[in-house]
């Protein structure tokens, strides 16, 4: 409970900073016109802390900008892609769109999103690394402001790690050491690792960069599937832990990313692998006295993972592109990104916001390792592919699921992933 109160206090402090920022932002006046407009901002925030932080940012903006009012609209990650397809075709998309870079690639190539380059301040442009800007840009134009980034991290049950003599130190955790630790923790009816991989594709492709996996070569609809040893390394290692070492609970492989948490709390698993946002859920619901930690970033040949940031975009056919972009520029201020980042336990896209979280938390509650896991986030090939969402849903997810259920072999998995691209990319 003490951890929860500490996190909420720090988040509250950051939101308060955001309020101060709202009253002092020189660029927050009306967007080049005295016309009073109301902008619909569809947010996909779902953690209570992040929803509160996002609404606070909107309220502060509205208080300082009487001519540009923002209306908060609640959206859902589960339906946003199909919803936006319908809205773009019908001309009813919200003025400010919350999504992620991997999903907006097709919309960019189809001309549905506005170029934000003329409207974002130089301060905002300088605050984000070029590698992250690359995930939301095309031909030198910016089509989305990157806000928060996720990495996949290993969470450990501190008591079980200590009992097994496992000490997680250093700048990284090799996949070999992960397997060895999981095997050491597997005894007495308990597993070393629980891994919710019901929706496995994003995990496989993101962590695949640990081994320089590409999966695709080229961009747009001209991209070719690339599925070789590097691309199959992560699924091969997970499969080996589950069925050779028997250190991963095979049932967990059929569960959602957070469905493994009750087993984690109960000591059924010594470790779990999940998106770093899960830390917020652990903070809010773990039993009193439960001790946990985030282990160093996973490493193959590197600790690289895909930078697939959450994004804020504006429809190209929107009536208030300039005003919408001004709100986005305001949202990108360090104190605002820090507030929503801490609420979601996600990594802000700017160093200033990351520094604010480090200062507010002291690196506790997994933040030191979480922030470290974001140092090598980079653009992945799949983020330049138009039909990636279709391939992910129709081909990759069922293929990975079948492999993780031990119903097919590695060679068949590779063939399905490669041949399936030809089926959906036409």
């Amino acid at each position: 409970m003490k951890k929860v109160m500490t996190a909420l206090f720090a988040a509250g402090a950051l939101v308060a900073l955001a309020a101060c920022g709202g009253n002092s932002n020189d660029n927050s006046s009306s967007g080049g016109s005295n016309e009073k407009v109301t902008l619909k901002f569809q947010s996909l925030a779902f953690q209570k802390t992040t929803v509160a932080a996002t609404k606070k940012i909107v309220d502060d903006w509205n208080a300082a900008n009487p001519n540009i009012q923002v209306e908060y609209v609640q959206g859902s990650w589960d339906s946003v892609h199909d919803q936006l397809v319908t809205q773009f075709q019908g001309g009813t998309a919200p003025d400010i769109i919350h999504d992620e870079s991997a999903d907006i690639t097709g919309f960019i190539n189809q001309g549905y999103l506005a170029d934000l380059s003329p409207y974002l301040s130089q301060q905002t442009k300088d605050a984000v690394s070029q590698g992250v800007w690359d995930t939301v840009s095309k031909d030198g134009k910016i089509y989305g402001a990157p806000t928060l980034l996720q990495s996949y991290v290993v969470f450990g049950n501190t008591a079980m790690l200590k009992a097994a003599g496992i000490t997680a130190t250093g700048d990284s955790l090799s996949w070999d050491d992960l397997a060895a630790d999981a095997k050491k923790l597997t005894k007495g009816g308990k597993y070393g690792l629980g891994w919710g991989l019901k929706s496995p594709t994003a995990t496989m492709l993101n962590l695949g960069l640990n081994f320089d996996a590409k999966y695709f070569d080229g961009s747009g609809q001209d991209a070719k599937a690339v599925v070789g040893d590097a691309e199959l390394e992560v699924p091969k290692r997970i499969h080996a832990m589950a069925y050779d070492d028997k250190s991963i609970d095979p049932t967990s492989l059929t569960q959602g990313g957070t469905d493994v948490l009750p087993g984690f709390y109960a000591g059924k698993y010594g470790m779990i692998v999940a998106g770093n946002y899960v830390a917020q859920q652990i903070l809010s619901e773990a039993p009193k006295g439960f001790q946990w930690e985030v282990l160093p970033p996973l490493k193959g040949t590197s600790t690289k993972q895909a930078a697939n940031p959450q994004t804020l975009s504006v429809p190209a056919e929107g009536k208030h592109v300039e005003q919408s972009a001004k709100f986005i520029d305001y949202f990108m201020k360090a104190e605002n990104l820090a507030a929503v980042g801490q609420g979601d336990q996600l990594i802000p896209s700017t160093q200033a916001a990351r520094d604010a979280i480090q200062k507010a938390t002291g690196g506790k509650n997994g933040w030191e390792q979480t922030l470290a896991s974001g140092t090598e986030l980079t653009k992945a090939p799949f983020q330049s592919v138009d039909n990636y969402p279709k391939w992910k849903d129709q081909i990759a997810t069922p293929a990975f699921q079948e492999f993780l259920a031990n119903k097919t072999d590695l060679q068949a998995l590779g063939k399905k992933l490669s041949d399936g691209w030809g089926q959906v990319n036409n």
Side-chain angles (χ1 to χ4, degrees):
M1 293 300 293
K2 185 177 180 181
K3 288 181 179 178
V4 175
M5 292 304 294
T6 300
L8 291 178
F9 175 81
L14 287 171
V15 175
L17 279 174
C20 295
N23 293 327
S24 61
N25 182 23
D26 293 337
N27 294 325
S28 62
S29 58
S30 63
S33 169
N34 290 324
E35 174 193 8
K36 185 172 182 177
V37 300
T38 298
L39 310 173
K40 287 188 176 182
F41 168 31
Q42 179 169 284
S43 170
L44 306 180
F46 64 95
Q47 304 265 22
K48 290 183 179 179
T49 45
T50 316
V51 171
T54 304
K55 287 183 175 179
K56 180 66 174 173
I57 293 170
V58 170
D59 290 344
D60 292 338
W61 168 271
N62 286 339
N65 296 271
N67 286 341
I68 308 176
Q69 294 291 284
V70 174
E71 176 187 345
Y72 182 99
V73 178
Q74 187 62 58
S76 169
W77 285 106
D78 293 335
S79 58
V80 65
H81 179 79
D82 291 341
Q83 181 185 33
L84 286 172
V85 169
T86 301
Q87 290 174 330
F88 282 135
Q89 292 176 349
T92 59
D95 299 283
I96 302 157
I97 299 166
H98 185 187
D99 201 354
E100 64 178 2
S101 66
D103 193 48
I104 67 172
T105 298
F107 298 140
I108 292 172
N109 292 335
Q110 294 166 49
Y112 284 127
L113 297 179
D115 175 19
L116 301 181
S117 305
Y119 308 112
L120 297 179
S121 67
Q122 192 61 44
Q123 181 179 5
T124 294
K125 293 176 181 177
D126 292 343
V128 178
S129 67
Q130 187 57 50
V132 176
W133 279 124
D134 288 343
T135 68
V136 293
S137 302
K138 181 181 180 182
D139 299 330
K141 297 179 180 180
I142 297 170
Y143 294 95
T147 58
L148 303 176
L149 300 119
Q150 173 188 298
S151 63
Y152 289 92
V153 298
V154 183
F155 295 90
N157 179 317
T158 301
M160 293 180 69
L161 293 179
K162 287 183 178 179
I166 297 171
T167 303
T169 58
D171 296 331
S172 61
L173 174 69
S174 74
W175 277 83
D176 289 342
D177 285 343
L178 174 68
D181 291 345
K183 196 169 183 178
K184 190 181 295 186
L185 287 161
T186 302
K187 56 185 176 180
K190 297 180 179 180
Y191 291 92
L193 192 59
W195 201 331
L197 284 171
K198 181 180 179 180
S199 300
T201 306
T203 304
M204 297 296 187
L205 269 63
N206 276 267
L207 286 175
L209 288 187
N210 278 189
F211 297 96
D212 301 316
K214 295 181 65 177
Y215 282 98
F216 296 100
D217 186 21
S219 61
Q221 288 192 315
D222 296 329
K224 307 296 182 183
V226 177
V227 185
D229 291 343
E231 290 71 32
L232 297 175
E233 187 67 25
V234 168
K236 180 179 73 173
R237 285 175 177 266
I238 295 173
H239 188 278
M241 283 189 277
Y243 298 104
D244 297 339
D245 296 349
K246 302 187 186 304
S247 58
I248 295 181
D249 179 4
T251 301
S252 72
L253 298 177
T254 66
Q255 296 178 310
T258 59
D259 293 339
V260 297
L261 287 175
F264 183 51
Y265 303 148
K268 184 177 181 181
Y269 326 114
M271 302 179 293
I272 62 171
V273 181
N276 51 26
Y277 69 90
V278 170
Q280 184 58 51
Q281 194 165 335
I282 296 174
L283 282 169
S284 63
E285 71 176 24
K288 185 176 181 179
F290 179 75
Q291 295 184 319
W292 60 281
E293 58 193 83
V294 177
L295 280 63
L298 280 171
K299 183 177 182 178
T301 55
S302 73
T303 61
K304 288 181 181 178
Q305 293 189 39
N308 182 26
Q310 293 184 23
T311 55
L312 295 179
S313 301
V314 179
E317 300 301 319
K319 296 179 181 179
H320 309 293
V321 174
E322 182 177 358
Q323 293 95 327
S324 299
K326 282 184 175 293
F327 173 76
I328 292 174
D329 199 61
Y330 171 73
F331 196 100
M332 292 292 293
K333 290 171 66 69
E335 56 266 36
N336 292 336
L337 288 185
V340 293
Q342 192 172 347
D344 251 350
Q345 291 280 145
L346 291 176
I347 305 166
S349 61
T350 70
Q351 187 61 52
R354 294 194 288 270
D355 290 344
I357 290 180
Q358 177 67 29
K359 183 177 180 180
T361 65
K364 296 179 180 179
N365 297 326
W367 269 113
E368 181 174 355
Q369 298 293 1
T370 293
L371 293 173
S373 71
T375 57
E376 285 199 88
L377 294 177
T378 188
K379 185 177 182 180
F382 72 84
Q383 291 168 278
S384 298
V385 176
D386 285 6
N387 284 321
Y388 166 73
K390 186 186 295 186
W391 177 81
K392 173 186 174 183
D393 293 340
Q394 297 180 17
I395 305 298
T397 292
F400 282 127
Q401 287 172 335
E402 188 177 21
F403 178 70
L404 293 174
N406 205 27
K407 294 180 179 179
T408 188
D409 61 20
L410 196 65
Q411 183 178 0
L413 170 65
K415 184 171 178 23
K416 287 182 179 181
L417 295 175
S418 181
D419 292 350
W421 175 243
Q423 296 171 23
V424 300
N425 189 48
N426 50 44

